[in-house]
Amino acid sequence: MKLTLLLLFACSILLYALPANATDPCPQLRTQLASTDVATRIAAIACQENHA
């Protein structure tokens, strides 16, 4: 039981220490102006207007 808790605690500290990798979706979205999904087209137009 103690070993399991110790391993769980060690894993949680390791995962907490890893940095989050946030990326900007706009470079990929700007090319999807002709998408069939309405929300994707709206996001692509917003990214294009924000970039200009």
Side-chain angles (χ1 to χ4, degrees), residues 6-26:
L6 182 63
L7 286 173
L8 184 61
F9 181 70
C11 287
S12 66
I13 288 177
L14 178 65
L15 289 176
Y16 180 74
L18 294 175
N21 294 328
T23 60
D24 184 16
C26 279

Side-chain angles (χ1 to χ4, degrees), residues 7-51:
L7 286 173
L8 184 61
F9 181 70
C11 287
S12 66
I13 288 177
L14 178 65
L15 289 176
Y16 180 74
L18 294 175
N21 294 328
T23 60
D24 184 16
C26 279
Q28 295 170 345
L29 279 174
R30 277 188 233 124
T31 62
Q32 298 183 9
L33 290 173
S35 175
T36 57
D37 186 25
V38 176
T40 303
R41 285 196 312 260
I42 292 171
I45 292 169
C47 285
Q48 198 173 41
E49 288 178 356
N50 190 27
H51 182 65

